[in-house]
């Protein structure tokens, strides 16, 4: 019985963390699905968002402003990868790894150490908790997360419908065509990477405020978490073809992923130290299964 | 309208794969010229079109479009003057985007992209009318993804997109070669229609000699990176396929025997 209650009590936390990390997954969606680039900057820019946010709050800044600065820092990190890839033709994966590696040192510089706790400082979660004293921390976090997600989805929906947004989508689809129609694909790729990492940093900043600390290693494996959310969301809500529906499916995927992790941890099936291996295997299977299904469908038909 | 001045291009310079693709090409097109381009494999036809479009920079020489020297401009800037249709029907359109979204991007060729809506209500009417002209029923499926269309439909759409904004020069690189004969004939007919309607200056590469003779007001033949034959007007109208074959034979001296099957 203890296991079941343990699982149930962990659900609200998993739900709110799933939503907050879902914003990071939306960032990954922009590069992985829209631009068709596997961007490994993510691990670094997530921690960058958290670090910048934490340092700003400790310095006495308003938590909203701290989030804004975190987003800007993420956009800059993404732009660096974008310039390395789009201007200097460094393969996208390598460009992302270079930025990610550099960001580790930058994050240590930003914080001056590997971990910055927010002990006495007021975060957005604390501010909302003061307004809603009866609510548990998980639910106030969830409210903030849902609000942030709604804003991000609305803005993305608008942006990817504009001329520039359409151009970014087309660049991921067919570069030759975009060039033939007068679009600067290098700029579009860099812009897409920048926006994507801005979202990742936003997620990092929100997670930092909800957990009350920033850690230089907090982004480790973020790209895998993001891919997991995209794949799970696609399996569950893949029938939704509209752009808005696809973004919602990513958030749902992220929440399900967190719940799965919470359940296996609470049930004691997987050691805390083994969660990364578990995540990696989960994502590998999720990526491999659609390929196997496709191959099975296209197998040579034997005539009876 | 278009001028190439002594354009030269060598690929993989200094390596064993060195290939002199263009060996001093001079060409001048008057407004409204419809030029068909023929030549064997590796004659430099596609390279010439790519030099005009700016896909790669020229080694030396100049490209002038409508009086502007564009030699140093990258491809996406030159796109303001050019309409292009490729041999591969997949290359001219974005598969995961809607038909109308593709048209909307073509409608903005050469314009600065801003944060206005990618496609406006009043534009859709224009696209509806334009698609009707293709006679493929696409005007009723404007929000379908382009990836659902056949190769011929995609090529017809690409052609429409290339001419939606009047280009200074239309570049067609064997744009019917990948289609089945019936579809190819239809796309070619449409090509002729669009060129005549809009009085487009056109360069069209083709492997089909009959088409090369039948279409356009001027024909050029390329061999080993230069233009070896250039006819227009009445003289072109009197051309017959055997005349062209003889020209090829003369230029390539024997090598041609191998190419013969490809060309006829």
């Amino acid at each position: 019985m203890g296991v079941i209650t343990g699982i149930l009590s962990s659900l609200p936390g998993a739900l709110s963390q799933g939503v907050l990390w879902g914003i990071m997954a939306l960032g990954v969606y922009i590069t992985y699905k829209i631009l068709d680039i596997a961007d490994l900057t993510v691990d670094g820019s997530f921690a960058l968002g958290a670090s910048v946010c934490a340092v700003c709050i400790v310095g006495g800044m308003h938590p909203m402003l701290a989030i804004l600065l975190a987003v800007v820092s993420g956009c800059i990190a993404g732009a660096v990868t974008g310039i390395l890839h789009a201007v200097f033709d460094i393969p996208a994966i390598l460009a992302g790894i270079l930025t990610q590696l550099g960001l580790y040192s930058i994050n240590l510089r930003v914080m001056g150490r590997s971990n910055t706790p927010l002990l006495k400082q007021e975060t957005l979660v604390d501010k909302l908790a003061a307004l809603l004293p009866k609510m548990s921390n998980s639910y106030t976090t969830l409210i903030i997360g849902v609000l942030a997600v709604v804003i991000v989805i609305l803005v993305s929906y608008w942006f990817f419908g504009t001329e520039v947004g359409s151009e970014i989508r087309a660049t991921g689809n067919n570069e030759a065509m975009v060039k033939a129609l007068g679009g600067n694909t290098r700029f579009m790729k860099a812009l897409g990477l920048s926006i994507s990492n801005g979202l990742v940093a936003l997620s990092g900043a929100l997670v930092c405020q909800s957990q009350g600390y920033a850690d230089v290693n907090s982004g480790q494996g973020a790209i895998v978490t993001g891919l997991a959310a995209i794949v799970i969301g696609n399996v569950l809500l893949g029938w939704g073809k509209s752009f808005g529906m696809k973004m919602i499916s990513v958030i749902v995927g992220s929440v399900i992923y967190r719940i799965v992790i919470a359940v296996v941890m609470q049930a004691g099936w997987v050691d805390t130290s083994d969660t990364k291996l578990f995540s990696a295997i989960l994502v590998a299977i999720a990526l491999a299964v659609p390929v196997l299904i496709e191959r099975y469908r296209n197998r040579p038909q034997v005539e009876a | 309208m278009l001028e190439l001045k002594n354009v030269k291009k060598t690929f993989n310079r200094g390596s064993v794969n060195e290939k002199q693709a263009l060996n001093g090409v001079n060409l001048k097109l008057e407004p409204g010229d419809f030029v068909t381009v023929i030549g064997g494999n590796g004659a430099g036809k596609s390279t010439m079109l790519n030099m005009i479009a700016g896909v790669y920079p020229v080694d030396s020489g100049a490209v002038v479009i409508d009086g502007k020297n564009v030699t140093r401009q990258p491809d996406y800037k030159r796109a303001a003057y050019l309409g292009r249709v490729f041999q591969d029907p997949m290359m001219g359109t974005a598969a995961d985007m809607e038909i109308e979204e593709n048209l909307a991007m073509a409608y903005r060729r050469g314009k600065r992209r801003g944060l206005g809506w990618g496609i406006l209500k009043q534009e859709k009417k224009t696209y509806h009318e334009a698609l009707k002209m293709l006679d493929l029923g696409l005007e009723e499926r404007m929000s379908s993804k382009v990836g659902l269309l056949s190769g011929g439909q995609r090529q017809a759409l690409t052609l429409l997109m290339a001419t939606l904004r009047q280009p200074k020069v239309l570049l067609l690189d064997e744009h019917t070669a990948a289609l089945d004969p019936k579809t190819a004939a239809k796309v070619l007919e449409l090509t002729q229609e669009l060129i005549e309607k809009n009085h487009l200056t056109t360069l069209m590469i083709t492997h089909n000699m009959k088409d090369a003779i039948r279409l356009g007001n001027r024909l050029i033949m390329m061999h080993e990176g230069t233009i070896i034959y250039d006819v227009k007007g009445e003289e072109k109208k009197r051309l017959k396929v055997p005349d062209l074959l003889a020209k090829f034979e003369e230029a390539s001296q024997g090598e041609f025997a191998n190419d013969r099957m490809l060309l006829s």
Side-chain angles (χ1 to χ4, degrees), chain A residues 160-197:
Chain A
F160 285 102
T162 63
E163 292 174 350
V164 174
S166 302
E167 201 91 342
I168 292 179
R169 284 187 293 144
T171 299
N173 229 255
N174 185 344
E175 265 189 67
M177 169 230 189
V178 174
K179 284 185 198 163
L181 296 179
N184 186 343
T185 51
R186 291 175 195 272
F187 177 74
M188 293 300 159
K189 281 196 242 177
L191 183 62
L193 281 163
S194 177
I195 293 170
S196 159
N197 282 287

Side-chain angles (χ1 to χ4, degrees), chain B residues 221-253:
Chain B
M221 184 188 290
M222 293 186 73
H223 183 70
E224 288 182 350
T226 49
I227 296 173
I228 54 163
Y229 187 46
D230 186 344
V231 275
K232 55 182 127 187
E234 286 305 312
E235 196 189 344
K236 172 175 178 284
K237 279 184 196 158
R238 284 195 300 270
L239 269 181
K240 294 277 177 290
V241 172
D243 303 333
L244 287 182
L245 287 174
K247 277 280 166 201
F248 264 116
E249 204 108 36
E250 184 186 319
S252 53
Q253 292 169 353

Side-chain angles (χ1 to χ4, degrees), chain A:
Chain A
M1 273 335 269
V3 171
I4 307 257
T5 36
I7 288 173
L8 285 179
S9 68
S10 72
L11 281 187
L15 192 61
S16 61
Q17 289 303 307
V19 171
L20 293 185
W21 282 81
I23 297 173
M24 186 271 307
L26 286 178
V28 174
Y29 182 84
I30 292 175
T31 45
Y32 185 68
K33 282 288 180 182
I34 298 183
L35 275 177
D36 200 15
I37 288 174
D39 173 30
L40 297 184
T41 317
V42 175
D43 291 20
S45 54
F46 185 88
L48 176 68
S51 311
V52 168
C53 181
V55 166
C56 287
I57 289 180
V58 168
M61 201 180 270
H62 189 280
M64 280 303 277
L65 195 58
I67 289 176
L68 194 69
L69 279 179
V71 171
V72 171
S73 70
C75 288
I76 295 171
V80 170
T81 304
I83 290 167
L84 290 177
H85 171 53
V87 177
F88 299 112
D89 289 338
I90 297 174
I93 291 196
L94 185 54
I97 290 174
L98 290 175
T99 312
Q100 187 203 106
L101 185 69
L103 279 175
Y104 191 86
S105 298
I106 289 178
N107 292 336
L108 285 174
R109 283 265 176 202
V110 168
M111 297 195 287
R113 54 192 159 166
S114 62
N115 188 298
T116 303
L118 304 173
L119 295 174
K120 297 190 197 76
Q121 291 80 14
E122 209 179 25
T123 65
L124 271 191
V125 180
D126 300 329
K127 280 190 191 289
L128 190 64
L131 292 175
L132 306 163
K134 284 197 185 129
M135 212 175 253
S136 82
N137 235 1
S138 292
Y139 285 107
T140 41
T141 306
L142 185 60
I143 292 175
I144 292 171
V146 169
L147 270 177
V149 162
V150 168
I151 294 170
V152 166
I153 290 184
L154 286 178
V155 171
S156 305
Y157 192 83
W158 162 77
F159 177 73
F160 285 102
T162 63
E163 292 174 350
V164 174
S166 302
E167 201 91 342
I168 292 179
R169 284 187 293 144
T171 299
N173 229 255
N174 185 344
E175 265 189 67
M177 169 230 189
V178 174
K179 284 185 198 163
L181 296 179
N184 186 343
T185 51
R186 291 175 195 272
F187 177 74
M188 293 300 159
K189 281 196 242 177
L191 183 62
L193 281 163
S194 177
I195 293 170
S196 159
N197 282 287
L199 286 181
V200 173
L202 169 64
S203 172
L206 289 171
V207 168
C208 152
Q209 294 205 17
S210 79
Q211 293 180 334
Y213 66 89
D215 190 284
V216 73
N217 291 316
S218 63
Q220 211 179 59
I223 178 78
V224 176
T225 312
L227 289 178
I230 292 169
V231 175
I232 295 171
N234 190 40
V235 169
L236 296 176
L237 297 169
W239 42 266
K241 294 288 174 226
S242 76
F243 185 67
M245 198 58 217
K246 282 185 176 157
M247 299 203 84
I248 290 169
S249 81
V250 172
I251 299 294
V252 171
S254 171
V255 168
I256 302 282
Y257 174 78
R258 283 287 148 190
I259 290 175
V260 170
I261 295 282
V263 167
V264 295
M265 296 242 306
Q266 283 294 330
W269 295 330
V270 173
D271 253 23
T272 319
S273 57
D274 293 334
T275 46
K276 298 254 192 255
L277 177 62
F278 178 76
S279 306
I281 292 173
L282 191 71
V283 171
I285 291 174
L287 289 173
V289 165
V291 177
L292 290 179
I293 291 176
E294 191 61 20
R295 227 173 261 169
Y296 180 75
R297 279 200 190 128
N298 294 334
R299 73 193 183 282
Q301 301 291 324
V302 182
E303 284 182 40

